Amino acid sequence: MEDTEIINALLRRDDSVLKALEEQYGPRLYRLARRFLRSREDAEEAVNDTWLSAWNTIPPQKPRNLSAYLSRLCRFAALSKVDWLTAQKRSATVVELTKELEECIPDRLGEREVEVRAIGEALNGFLRTLSEEKRAMFLRRYWYGDPVRDIAARLGVGESKVKTTLYRCREELKTYLEKEGISL
């Protein structure tokens, strides 16, 4: 089933489309959730939360890229589950990806939506300045949560090159954000 057909079925509130969503996107979203969550059950719950979020947000949303939209919903569900697990003092591995970026992107409580939007726009601007290879490494690591070894294998480069490139990208991002007036 094509994405436009799936979106139109969701807009019509046709619940038979959920099976098509599961078949087409389930395995990919499950792998994404597993990168953040250690247990199979938690990852399955995050994917199920993704289906519920998609059902509840389409309509009024009508995403242009269904795969990206579902990935964003799944990533949010998985990270929310990590927050819940750690807040309840249950055993869960803290996602170390945020540690790598914490010097670049400010993390203040109560940050207003305008500031968050400005950071998002600045981050998008920064990504446009990167070469295709650097952008792929950056997004695979910090959006999809891929391990360095998987990124290296996917791009056909050594792990040390990936680590060095990511370090340099973080430094460039820090400088870029400062030039954009985003305080660290």
Side-chain angles (χ1 to χ4, degrees):
M1 187 176 245
E2 294 292 319
D3 285 356
T4 54
E5 294 174 281
I6 292 173
I7 292 169
N8 288 333
L10 286 168
L11 291 169
R12 290 190 315 270
R13 309 310 282 164
D14 180 0
D15 61 357
S16 66
V17 76
L18 296 175
K19 183 173 171 62
L21 274 173
E22 175 67 39
E23 289 173 1
Q24 192 163 339
Y25 292 103
R28 183 183 317 159
L29 296 178
Y30 177 76
R31 284 191 306 273
L32 175 63
R34 282 289 283 175
R35 290 186 185 123
F36 298 101
L37 299 163
R38 296 293 180 213
S39 82
R40 179 182 55 79
E41 294 83 8
D42 288 340
E44 288 173 357
E45 185 178 333
V47 172
N48 286 332
D49 288 347
T50 302
W51 305 141
L52 179 62
S53 293
W55 182 261
N56 288 334
T57 58
I58 303 173
Q61 299 292 320
K62 187 176 180 183
R64 286 183 288 205
N65 184 332
L66 185 60
S67 177
Y69 186 76
L70 293 173
S71 294
R72 182 171 51 104
L73 293 176
C74 184
R75 187 173 186 274
F76 179 77
L79 291 174
S80 293
K81 184 70 174 173
V82 169
D83 288 343
W84 183 83
L85 289 169
T86 56
Q88 298 298 318
K89 299 188 189 248
R90 290 170 170 74
S91 63
T93 304
V94 177
V95 179
E96 66 185 66
L97 303 179
T98 55
K99 290 179 190 174
E100 294 177 18
L101 287 176
E102 70 185 3
E103 292 178 15
C104 302
I105 299 176
D107 182 24
R108 297 181 299 249
L109 294 174
E111 192 169 40
R112 295 184 320 220
E113 186 176 323
V114 173
E115 292 172 347
V116 171
R117 203 170 285 174
I119 291 172
E121 289 172 8
L123 187 54
N124 285 334
F126 170 72
L127 289 172
R128 283 190 290 274
T129 69
L130 297 177
S131 69
E132 188 174 324
E133 182 181 59
K134 286 181 180 180
R135 185 172 40 249
M137 287 181 193
F138 192 90
L139 290 173
R140 294 302 323 170
R141 181 71 177 148
Y142 300 117
W143 177 256
Y144 293 104
D146 286 355
V148 170
R149 71 178 174 280
D150 291 356
I151 297 168
R154 177 183 288 258
L155 299 176
V157 298
E159 288 183 37
S160 61
K161 179 176 181 176
V162 174
K163 289 177 187 177
T164 302
T165 301
L166 290 172
Y167 173 79
R168 290 178 180 159
C169 283
R170 288 191 307 271
E171 292 298 312
E172 291 172 24
L173 174 59
K174 184 176 181 180
T175 303
Y176 186 90
L177 291 175
E178 288 171 350
K179 287 180 182 175
E180 291 294 312
I182 297 175
S183 61
L184 305 176

